[in-house]
Amino acid sequence: MKKLDNDAFVNMRSGASVLEADSYGDKVLLLADGTIVKLFRRKRWLSSAAWYPYAKRFADNAASLHRLGIRVPEILDLFRIPSIERDAVRYQPLPGRTLREIRREALDAGIEQELKEAFTRFVVRLHDSGVYFRSLHLGNVVYTPDHEFGLIDISDARIVDRPLRKYERARNLKRLQGIEGESEWVDLTSVVDAHRKRREARV
């Protein structure tokens, strides 16, 4: 992770659009060159982010997910920006639209059902690959132009070297299940039962 002084940050930020911000400041910037910068602040001084920054986690998770064949943004740079007390990752955005954006459209019922079934299979694939994605919701899943699913905002993903257990699969869907209008986009029973089917296939 390289340090970026304030002048360099101001120059990089010139002409950028703010995609996301909160009361603490900018969180996601779309730069003039079409790349994205995601800014991370350390929420507590005594936290794991002190020695393992969220920007580094984002980049490491991108590399791990890519090795698993899961579409993710292409990481370009990692920065520490002392002047604004932020770490940052710059990446090439994943082409396509989020499922949340697609859901808001007037979709043909048949196409919508196909997407829901494909998304359920994608979630099963994630869990079978050992991916526990805490921020799993339709706003963080991109449907690419080549009809594949990909993940964004991946700093809090956890990847283990085994398929997720039944309770982990159910717990991983808790956030999505609590979002009105999005919970029906995944078949909870199919996702959770996939663990049992894997065990039975090995017998």
Side-chain angles (χ1 to χ4, degrees), residues 3-146:
K3 285 189 178 181
L4 196 68
D5 65 35
N6 191 63
D7 288 343
F9 174 64
V10 170
N11 183 61
M12 181 178 70
R13 196 190 183 288
S14 177
S17 301
V18 178
L19 299 184
E20 190 177 344
D22 62 14
S23 59
Y24 294 96
D26 297 339
K27 293 178 67 177
V28 183
L29 302 171
L30 174 63
L31 301 187
D33 64 1
T35 62
I36 289 178
V37 168
K38 185 171 177 63
L39 298 158
F40 298 89
R41 69 179 181 88
R42 194 188 307 172
K43 298 177 183 178
R44 297 180 300 276
W45 284 110
L46 291 175
S47 76
S48 60
W51 59 86
Y52 191 20
Y54 291 113
K56 182 69 164 59
R57 298 181 200 189
F58 189 107
D60 288 348
N61 284 338
S64 296
L65 291 166
H66 179 72
R67 285 194 293 270
L68 292 172
I70 296 165
R71 302 288 295 274
V72 290
E74 178 188 353
I75 306 301
L76 301 174
D77 289 300
L78 286 173
F79 302 114
R80 176 155 289 159
I81 313 171
S83 61
I84 59 171
E85 298 182 342
R86 295 290 188 274
D87 296 323
V89 58
R90 184 173 75 94
Y91 58 86
Q92 193 70 43
L94 194 60
R97 293 179 298 160
T98 68
L99 287 184
R100 181 170 289 170
E101 292 170 331
I102 292 172
R103 187 188 73 82
R104 290 171 180 160
E105 300 174 359
L107 291 175
D108 174 83
I111 293 175
E112 182 174 310
Q113 185 58 35
E114 287 178 5
L115 279 173
K116 289 178 179 178
E117 292 172 359
F119 177 53
T120 293
R121 292 192 298 271
F122 176 67
V123 174
V124 170
R125 178 187 167 201
L126 290 178
H127 292 173
D128 285 349
S129 299
V131 179
Y132 186 96
F133 185 35
R134 296 174 186 173
S135 298
L136 181 61
H137 56 68
L138 299 192
N140 281 338
V141 180
V142 170
Y143 189 59
T144 69
D146 51 357

